[in-house]
Amino acid sequence: MADRLSPLDLMTKLISFPTVSRDSNLPLVDWVEDYLDSHGIAAHRFYNEERDKAAIFAHVGPGIEGGVVLSGHTDVVPVDGQPWASDPWTVVERDGKYFGRGTCDMKGFDALSLWALVEAKYRDISRPLQIALSFDEEVGCTGAPPMIERILQTLPRASAVIVGEPSMMQAVTGHKGGQGFWVDVRGFEVHSSIAYRGVSAIMEAAKIINWANEVNAEEAAKTPDAMATLFDPPYTTLHTGLIEGGTAANITAKHCGFDLGFRAVPGDDTGAWRRRVLDRIAEVEAGMKAVHPDAGIDVTPRFGVPGLKPEQQGEAEALVRAITGDNATHVVSYGTEAGQFQERGYSAVVCGPGDIAQAHQPDEFITVEQFNAGHDFMRNLLERL
Ligand SMILES: [Zn+2]
């Protein structure tokens, strides 16, 4: 019989693959597939269009519906330019912490999930356990939706999903959703002394960005509903984090590009927010075209992540609360794949070891205590299956 690796050995192995989102994760997927296969577990792959990345998912237990999914992502953020005290791709234990890129976000949880799946294989479980390890989470959660479709076509439908993003093992039942766009503004160049005959892409972009400021102020002034009050801030926000453009101080800018995104409280209609953003952009564009027909605005969607709505009597929430004993209400401001599972009809909750504050940092770590708490969680889960 093949060796059963400990959660720490599994995490060490997963972190040795530098699966930064821009690079292939196939060496990691190959390894996971072989490892599961050595324990008689048949895994399935779902490739991206370029076929340089894949999600991997698997089912253990009776071939029936109603199982539990452990969901993680295989990609990590880059380490470029970050000062690390030790090699990011080698797990090192110091001062009660395991250091390494992805220890916290989220190969620690991936390792615990793989451990649990293999353990489940050797037990007589009556409720199935599944894992789903995605790609491209860190670049806008774009890998999970097609993976979820494939899982629904391939495996018996599970009913509860635990997304193991770092939450200090608390049951997180809600998060904001969001959409992001890249906005390319095309101006018409003239000397700035006669700017009225031209179209400055920068000045037009500024109208849209300032509109975002005004909307933020309006939203902040509203009285939030019960759902919104759970969040900080308790309203939907618009933001631009990146802008580029212009040629010279005395030329109306031919080009300005910027990102524009919103984070919506669950319960707010993201479709309506999207239309609101696009309508404002169209309005500005119409003004530009009135000056010169070649001027215009192109909008490219960058990402769209649905919010996670706290569920009424949610099955995933109840399961996690029973295991952790955590009965408090927690919502977070970061997006996860939980909203995407929920959108496809699963009951979903976020619960994983580690603190989000350590995610994406140089010297990223998970405390030994949190990692062990994750291990206890998995042991407890297995007892219940
Ligand atoms: Zn993550």
Side-chain angles (χ1 to χ4, degrees), residues 57-134:
F57 55 92
H59 174 107
V60 162
I64 56 171
E65 300 197 340
V68 177
V69 184
L70 299 172
S71 152
H73 57 82
T74 61
D75 58 322
V76 293
V77 295
V79 296
D80 311 60
Q82 292 186 338
W84 279 74
S86 56
D87 174 23
W89 313 112
T90 305
V91 174
V92 181
E93 185 183 345
R94 284 194 306 273
D95 311 323
K97 298 164 181 168
Y98 297 122
F99 290 87
R101 170 58 85 227
T103 44
C104 170
D105 184 14
M106 57 183 294
K107 288 177 173 174
F109 182 83
D110 295 345
L112 291 163
S113 303
L114 286 169
W115 177 84
L117 195 76
V118 170
E119 286 296 307
K121 178 74 187 175
Y122 294 98
R123 296 187 188 201
D124 190 20
I125 56 171
S126 51
R127 185 177 182 186
L129 185 66
Q130 300 180 350
I131 58 163
L133 303 179
S134 69

Side-chain angles (χ1 to χ4, degrees), residues 24-321:
S24 172
N25 72 343
L26 293 181
L28 179 148
V29 169
D30 289 344
W31 185 84
V32 169
E33 192 175 81
D34 286 348
Y35 179 67
L36 293 178
D37 182 62
S38 75
H39 292 285
I41 300 169
H44 306 265
R45 290 186 186 210
F46 171 75
Y47 283 95
N48 65 347
E49 221 163 272
E50 296 77 22
R51 294 188 74 81
D52 62 347
K53 294 173 197 167
I56 182 161
F57 55 92
H59 174 107
V60 162
I64 56 171
E65 300 197 340
V68 177
V69 184
L70 299 172
S71 152
H73 57 82
T74 61
D75 58 322
V76 293
V77 295
V79 296
D80 311 60
Q82 292 186 338
W84 279 74
S86 56
D87 174 23
W89 313 112
T90 305
V91 174
V92 181
E93 185 183 345
R94 284 194 306 273
D95 311 323
K97 298 164 181 168
Y98 297 122
F99 290 87
R101 170 58 85 227
T103 44
C104 170
D105 184 14
M106 57 183 294
K107 288 177 173 174
F109 182 83
D110 295 345
L112 291 163
S113 303
L114 286 169
W115 177 84
L117 195 76
V118 170
E119 286 296 307
K121 178 74 187 175
Y122 294 98
R123 296 187 188 201
D124 190 20
I125 56 171
S126 51
R127 185 177 182 186
L129 185 66
Q130 300 180 350
I131 58 163
L133 303 179
S134 69
F135 55 88
D136 283 351
E137 194 274 348
E138 296 290 5
V139 289
C141 294
T142 53
M147 172 192 76
I148 294 167
E149 287 311 317
R150 183 61 60 85
I151 292 173
L152 286 167
Q153 292 161 8
T154 313
L155 303 181
R157 187 178 186 109
S159 52
V161 179
I162 301 167
V163 176
E165 291 286 344
S167 74
M168 295 298 282
M169 297 312 299
Q170 292 179 329
V172 170
T173 56
H175 63 66
K176 288 187 179 181
Q179 291 189 19
F181 308 92
W182 183 255
V183 185
D184 270 308
V185 186
R186 252 177 302 114
F188 179 70
E189 285 178 303
V190 296
H191 191 276
S192 60
S193 60
I194 48 163
Y196 75 95
R197 289 188 222 167
V199 178
S200 164
I202 291 177
M203 304 283 277
E204 299 300 323
K207 290 180 188 169
I208 299 167
I209 295 168
N210 193 50
W211 169 78
N213 281 320
E214 288 166 4
V215 170
N216 285 339
E218 279 167 30
E219 292 299 309
K222 284 184 186 164
T223 307
D225 63 19
M227 170 89 75
T229 48
L230 298 172
F231 292 86
D232 177 25
Y235 52 89
T236 297
T237 53
L238 285 158
H239 183 251
T240 289
L242 195 67
I243 186 165
E244 62 188 28
T247 309
N250 58 0
I251 304 173
T252 56
K254 190 162 99 182
H255 175 251
C256 180
F258 63 99
D259 88 278
L260 180 63
F262 63 83
R263 289 179 186 276
V265 287
D268 262 19
D269 179 352
T270 50
W273 271 96
R274 179 194 174 85
R275 280 191 298 281
R276 203 172 163 189
V277 168
L278 297 179
D279 283 354
R280 178 58 190 150
I281 291 172
E283 215 178 306
V284 171
E285 184 182 37
M288 295 165 66
K289 286 203 178 293
V291 178
H292 200 285
D294 290 347
I297 303 179
D298 295 319
V299 180
T300 313
R302 274 285 177 89
F303 67 88
V305 186
L308 177 67
K309 274 196 237 18
E311 298 165 8
Q312 300 293 331
Q313 264 119 41
E315 189 188 328
E317 174 184 347
L319 175 64
V320 165
R321 290 197 189 287

